[in-house]
Amino acid sequence: MAVPSNVFWDPAGHLHTNALHWEGFPRLLWESLRSFLYTEPPQYDAVEYQEEGVHQCRVRMTIPQHPFRSQWQPIEVDVVGHRIVDTIEGAALETIYLFCNQHPREVAGQPIGLFSTIDPNDPKWNLRIVPEGHRLEGSTEEALQGTMRFMNVQHHYQLLLRHGMGQLINIAQGHFRIADRQVTQIQHLQASVTEKEEIIAAREETIHHREDQINESDAIITQRNTIIEFLQE
C-alpha cells in the first residue's frame, strides 16, 4: 500500500513532505527502510531562501530511532542545494550512504547496499571495491531490476544537478555582466572626476595668479598714495 506524500507548507514557509510521490532516492530509501521494519517514512523539511542574490534551498531530514532495534540510532542530515527537488534528492542520497555505512552487514544482499561503496563527497562518484561478501539476494531478474532502478534514479539526480548548475552559471554570468557594467561606469565617473579636478586646479591657479596681480596693484596704489601725500605736504 502506497504511503501518502503528505505535502504541506507551514506558516514559516517550510515545505514538509515524505517525497514519495515521484520515483527518486526518497522512495528507494523508504522501501529499503520498510524492509528493515521501519514503520514511518522519513519527513523532509525544506525551505528556500536567497543568499547574496543566489537562490538556495536547505533540507533537513531524520531517520528516527528504529522501533525495536535500540542500537540503530537516528540519522540526521542537513543539505543545502539549489531547488527543493534536487536538495531533497541529495538529502535522501546522503542518508542512504550514511545508513549503509552504519549497517553494512544488514544491507549486504540488497541493492541499497552498493551505496556503501560510493562516497557522495567524491565528485567523480567512483564505485569503490564491492565487498566480497556482498551478494544480491533474490533472483537475477529481481536484482537487475533493483539495480536498474537505482541507476535510473541516479541518472535523474544527475540531470537535476546539471539543471541546477546551469541556473547557477546563468546567475553568475548575470552578476558578472552587472559588475562589469558597474566597473565601466565607475571608470567613466573616475575619469570625469579627474577631468573636473584638473579644471578646478587650473581655475585655482588662475585665481591665485589674479590674487597676486591684485596684491601687486594694491601695493602700487599704496605707494602712489604715499607719494601724493608727501607732495601735498
Side-chain angles (χ1 to χ4, degrees):
M1 180 177 178
V3 178
S5 59
N6 194 27
V7 180
F8 69 93
W9 298 86
D10 66 20
H14 289 233
L15 173 71
H16 300 269
T17 178
N18 54 29
L20 299 179
H21 48 292
W22 74 81
E23 177 74 354
F25 285 121
R27 181 182 292 180
L28 296 178
L29 171 62
W30 166 234
E31 290 179 1
S32 299
L33 293 177
R34 189 168 54 185
S35 69
F36 293 111
L37 304 181
Y38 280 88
T39 57
E40 295 293 335
Q43 296 294 315
Y44 299 82
D45 178 343
V47 60
E48 293 182 298
Y49 58 95
Q50 292 277 341
E51 184 171 320
E52 296 183 353
V54 177
H55 188 97
Q56 291 186 317
C57 176
R58 179 182 295 275
V59 170
R60 293 183 173 90
M61 187 271 278
T62 301
I63 295 180
Q65 171 73 47
H66 194 278
F68 54 85
R69 294 183 177 180
S70 59
Q71 295 181 346
W72 287 28
Q73 297 299 314
I75 296 177
E76 298 181 357
V77 297
D78 188 339
V79 177
V80 174
H82 185 53
R83 297 289 182 182
I84 287 179
V85 174
D86 66 88
T87 311
I88 288 178
E89 289 282 357
L93 179 57
E94 182 172 337
T95 305
I96 290 174
Y97 174 75
L98 294 173
F99 183 83
C100 290
N101 276 275
Q102 289 187 17
H103 311 292
R105 293 183 179 179
E106 289 80 1
V107 300
Q110 304 292 332
I112 191 178
L114 293 174
F115 277 78
S116 61
T117 65
I118 298 175
D119 185 355
N121 295 317
D122 185 349
K124 296 182 180 180
W125 285 84
N126 289 330
L127 188 66
R128 303 185 187 277
I129 299 175
V130 178
E132 182 64 25
H134 189 102
R135 295 289 185 271
L136 294 178
E137 299 174 352
S139 67
T140 303
E141 182 178 356
E142 291 176 347
L144 181 59
Q145 289 177 349
T147 303
M148 288 300 298
R149 283 187 66 197
F150 274 83
M151 291 177 64
N152 289 335
V153 170
Q154 174 65 38
H155 176 66
H156 176 67
Y157 179 57
Q158 292 296 330
L159 291 179
L160 287 174
L161 292 180
R162 188 180 305 170
H163 178 68
M165 184 61 67
Q167 290 181 326
L168 289 176
I169 289 173
N170 290 335
I171 292 173
Q173 289 175 337
H175 286 318
F176 175 80
R177 287 191 292 268
I178 292 173
D180 188 57
R181 286 196 298 268
Q182 290 176 341
V183 168
T184 302
Q185 291 174 351
I186 290 172
Q187 290 174 341
H188 289 163
L189 290 173
Q190 287 177 336
S192 177
V193 169
T194 301
E195 181 181 357
K196 290 181 179 180
E197 286 178 345
E198 291 175 351
I199 294 173
I200 291 172
R203 290 181 177 177
E204 287 179 347
E205 184 177 353
T206 301
I207 291 171
H208 290 320
H209 180 67
R210 296 285 175 84
E211 287 177 346
D212 291 339
Q213 289 178 336
I214 291 171
N215 290 333
E216 290 178 0
S217 298
D218 288 343
I220 293 173
I221 292 171
T222 301
Q223 184 180 12
R224 289 179 178 178
N225 288 337
T226 302
I227 295 173
I228 292 172
E229 290 176 356
F230 176 76
L231 293 175
Q232 287 177 346
E233 292 177 356

